[in-house]
Amino acid sequence: MTTVLVIGGGYAGVMAANRLKSRDDLSVQLINPRPQFVERIRLHQLAADSDPNSTMAVADFGAVLNDGVRLVVDSAERIDPAARRVTLGSGGVLDYDYLVYAVGSTGAIPDAVPGAAEFAYPLSELEQAKRLRARLADVPTQAPIVVVGGGLTGIEAAAEFAEAGRRVTLVSSIVGPSLSAPGRRSVTKRLGKLGVTTVAATVASVTADAVVLTDGRTLPSAVTVWTAGFGVPGLAAASGLTTDAMGRVVTDETLTSVDDDRIVAAGDAAAPSGLPYRMSCQAGLPLGAQAANTVLARIAGGEAAVATVPMSGQCISLGRDAGTVQLQRKDDTPLNLYLGGRTGAFVKEQVCRYTVKWLAGEARKPGSYKSLKGPDRSELIAAAKAVPVR
């Protein structure tokens, strides 16, 4: 029997494992360090302990994973492509015929910012969200909180904390850099209504009770939340696979590793043609399905199709009663159109709910998940190849 290992139980990994079970003659094993599925797009709610839906940040794998997939609760420490073997953190080994690499992304706190790693609280993994929630429970509501980073995670965290009555300052050179100008105005207006102070600056250092800015200002901070930047686990690079500067596996447009046609990558830790999609569940779900399709095509002796992912919007929660949905082109560039207020909050919540529904649907009926066609990336790839390497 052909064995396929999937490393990573996030959006892309679970989707890939489920899709692979469209063939009954495959042994599919999912390696994940936690026994539960984590819905990362709800972690800011979990940290703020602000909504009953935050309990949905963790779900039993039985609700989203096909019954025929074997769950291996362990960490993957090393991949040996030549031997087609994965060494586990427990010391065990698993052999494979094909491997789907879907380890996802992690929060990245730069070593170059003194005190950040020691005193700041990242918010990209379940354990980090729980640690932050425990810290907030020990801090008076009126104590100052500083959120570093104006991306979607930072915006959502700042809004959630402020709506709970906390004093929040959001520090970023720009708030919502991936949004259109109207989208940014919608976000900053709502943050202002919630009482969030926005400071256009960069951070020089972090202490136990303050954030020092590069312009010399000091912001008092009982809790500093760090959302500026993401990274990926170093498993691929440590295993000798070709990666980009961040550590994502470099693949061709079928999501196949440039080093080994038995290794396929999906989600945040994949860089097709060295041009990764924006880190998001919006990309993770279709990439997971397409990674599985590539493996299935190879097993059947056919030709794998080029991956195609439409990036149609960015959904931002701004507390429980408002949100901003940035509409955009399929190539991930924003339009000057957005949905705001309660409508934006409703759409955001439906998106959160449907990510799990889509995974559960694929678990029940492998092959049922459908994604719209994305843009042709050939010109983008050609332009990137034309840039001289220095």
Side-chain angles (χ1 to χ4, degrees), residues 98-167:
Y98 291 90
L99 176 73
V100 177
Y101 187 86
V103 299
S105 57
T106 61
I109 297 181
D111 294 332
V113 179
E118 181 179 0
F119 298 112
Y121 290 76
L123 182 57
S124 63
E125 298 180 21
L126 176 63
E127 294 78 12
Q128 294 170 350
K130 288 182 175 179
R131 176 172 171 259
L132 175 55
R133 182 174 65 176
R135 172 59 180 159
L136 289 171
D138 289 338
V139 173
T141 302
Q142 290 305 309
I145 294 175
V146 173
V147 177
V148 181
L152 305 193
T153 301
I155 292 169
E156 291 189 323
E160 209 74 38
F161 300 149
E163 192 173 67
R166 295 188 177 276
R167 294 169 50 203

Side-chain angles (χ1 to χ4, degrees), residues 17-226:
N18 288 340
R19 176 63 57 94
L20 288 164
K21 288 309 294 181
S22 59
R23 284 187 58 148
D24 293 332
D25 60 343
L26 299 184
S27 170
V28 181
Q29 301 177 56
L30 178 72
I31 305 169
N32 194 65
R34 306 180 189 89
Q36 302 94 11
F37 172 76
V38 176
E39 195 176 359
R40 287 181 62 178
I41 53 179
R42 290 196 187 276
L43 288 180
H44 62 286
Q45 297 176 33
L46 179 68
D49 200 17
S50 61
D51 187 81
N53 286 323
S54 66
T55 60
M56 296 172 62
V58 179
D60 189 272
F61 269 115
V64 296
L65 195 60
N66 182 278
D67 291 340
V69 177
R70 179 194 170 206
L71 175 64
V72 179
V73 181
D74 209 330
S75 60
E77 296 298 314
R78 189 170 182 83
I79 302 166
D80 185 342
R84 294 180 192 162
R85 177 172 295 174
V86 173
T87 301
L88 304 176
S90 63
V93 296
L94 293 175
D95 295 323
Y96 66 85
D97 296 295
Y98 291 90
L99 176 73
V100 177
Y101 187 86
V103 299
S105 57
T106 61
I109 297 181
D111 294 332
V113 179
E118 181 179 0
F119 298 112
Y121 290 76
L123 182 57
S124 63
E125 298 180 21
L126 176 63
E127 294 78 12
Q128 294 170 350
K130 288 182 175 179
R131 176 172 171 259
L132 175 55
R133 182 174 65 176
R135 172 59 180 159
L136 289 171
D138 289 338
V139 173
T141 302
Q142 290 305 309
I145 294 175
V146 173
V147 177
V148 181
L152 305 193
T153 301
I155 292 169
E156 291 189 323
E160 209 74 38
F161 300 149
E163 192 173 67
R166 295 188 177 276
R167 294 169 50 203
V168 181
T169 299
L170 178 63
V171 177
S172 180
S173 56
I174 182 171
V175 176
S178 61
L179 306 178
S180 65
R184 283 195 293 273
R185 285 195 294 270
S186 171
V187 167
T188 54
K189 181 179 179 180
R190 173 61 179 174
L191 289 175
K193 285 185 176 180
L194 290 171
V196 176
T197 300
T198 56
V199 176
T202 55
V203 175
S205 63
V206 179
T207 68
D209 57 5
V211 172
V212 180
L213 306 180
T214 53
D215 60 13
R217 286 178 291 173
T218 298
L219 304 176
S221 179
V223 183
T224 300
V225 183
W226 196 279

